[in-house]
Amino acid sequence: MRAEHGDSEPGWKAGPLVIGPVWRDWGRGLLDLLLPPSSLDGAAALSGGLTAAAFSKVTFLDDPVCDGCGLAMAYADEARCPACQAKPRAFRRARAACVYDEHSRDLVLKLKHADRPELAGLFARWLSRAATPLLDAADAVVPVPVHRARLLRRRYNQAAEIARPLARLAGLAYLPDALVRKRDTASQGGKSASGRRRNVAAAFAVPEARRGQVAGRRIVLVDDVLTTGATAEGCARALLAAGAADVTLSVVARVTEMQTRPI
């Protein structure tokens, strides 16, 4: 007789239901057949990313790039651009997946302001390729933080949404709370380089309870866009002050000239 009220029969123990990869793929294929997925750029249906037309318009950054800031370089003779040679940054190296222009901007802003967190997985895949040299030499991934007031308004941190799957793809530790933003700084959009530095001065810190996670570790800092590097610089300084052995930067898009539009 079966036991009542959900109890198992004597000698039989219920265990978790395990779905193998074959059945998982079959189920995903059936779901796609019943509910055809839309492309992430909102055009014709396409499973797994952008339409071919949208993908072809994105300017991806491949070598040669500046090892210090990820800027595209015409020749591979120099490891660093003149700006990085003249003034090294707190983050030792940087890589960007693509150029921030009219084609990538829409995707980045959809993630940041239009409640489209599903784009984060796509960006993480881009970065797993573009930032391979940094990830291979790292111990952990840390997202650039947003202030809790902004987090309540936006409901998620776009950098964290990218950093989480990126850490999983790279097999690295994910440290979402290693950095905090102490001040709810104004948007960096439209500010000069010096204005950006002043805006985020002393805005970031590693909480005392998280310093043990950071000390002695090689960290890849993750953000959506690199413009002047002021935000990443402030984050890197805070991580190094907490004992990080090394800080590098991985971003989805790299501004190639000063932007006047909000980011």
Side-chain angles (χ1 to χ4, degrees):
M1 180 183 298
R2 293 185 60 85
E4 297 180 355
H5 307 299
D7 292 332
S8 302
E9 293 180 356
W12 181 84
K13 183 178 180 180
L17 178 62
V18 178
I19 300 176
V22 173
W23 288 105
R24 189 182 299 114
D25 291 343
W26 181 87
R28 186 179 295 116
L30 178 60
L31 183 61
D32 286 352
L33 181 63
L34 296 174
L35 299 171
S38 297
S39 64
L40 294 175
D41 54 312
L46 177 71
S47 180
L50 305 178
T51 58
F55 186 85
S56 66
K57 292 176 182 177
V58 177
T59 304
F60 290 97
L61 286 166
D62 295 310
D63 287 335
V65 297
C66 172
D67 195 48
C69 68
L71 187 68
M73 298 177 70
Y75 305 102
D77 299 337
E78 297 286 345
R80 300 200 169 220
C81 68
C84 287
Q85 291 182 46
K87 187 178 180 181
R89 304 167 187 262
F91 50 90
R92 189 172 58 85
R93 306 173 72 188
R95 289 293 186 277
C98 65
V99 171
Y100 188 76
D101 57 17
E102 66 272 20
H103 303 298
S104 63
R105 181 188 299 117
D106 183 57
L107 294 172
V108 171
L109 293 183
K110 280 180 179 177
L111 170 64
K112 195 167 186 174
H113 299 300
D115 199 18
R116 293 288 302 277
E118 68 273 14
L119 284 161
L122 175 69
F123 293 154
R125 293 195 296 275
W126 289 2
L127 288 182
S128 68
R129 173 183 174 273
T132 295
L134 313 185
L135 297 166
D136 286 349
D139 302 308
V141 173
V142 172
V144 168
V146 297
H147 190 268
R148 58 182 177 273
R150 189 167 299 182
L151 186 62
L152 287 173
R153 295 194 299 270
R154 193 177 293 169
R155 298 192 302 110
Y156 61 85
N157 173 7
Q158 75 279 359
E161 293 301 307
I162 300 166
R164 187 188 308 109
L166 178 62
R168 184 169 61 248
L169 288 168
L172 299 176
Y174 173 55
L175 308 178
D177 303 319
L179 268 176
V180 296
R181 189 182 293 244
K182 298 185 294 182
R183 294 188 291 107
D184 188 10
T185 55
S187 170
Q188 295 280 63
K191 289 182 170 58
S192 65
S194 59
R196 286 169 178 261
R197 288 193 295 270
R198 289 193 300 271
N199 188 43
V200 297
F204 304 99
V206 176
E208 192 64 36
R210 304 298 181 193
R211 295 177 81 87
Q213 293 182 339
V214 169
R217 302 184 95 168
R218 299 165 297 175
I219 291 172
V220 174
L221 184 68
V222 175
D223 204 2
D224 53 358
V225 179
L226 172 63
T227 306
T228 64
T231 297
E233 188 89 4
C235 290
R237 290 187 185 280
L239 290 166
L240 292 169
D246 183 52
V247 179
T248 57
L249 175 66
S250 176
V251 297
V252 175
R254 173 73 163 88
V255 172
T256 54
E257 57 187 28
M258 184 57 73
Q259 299 280 334
T260 56
R261 297 187 185 187
I263 293 177

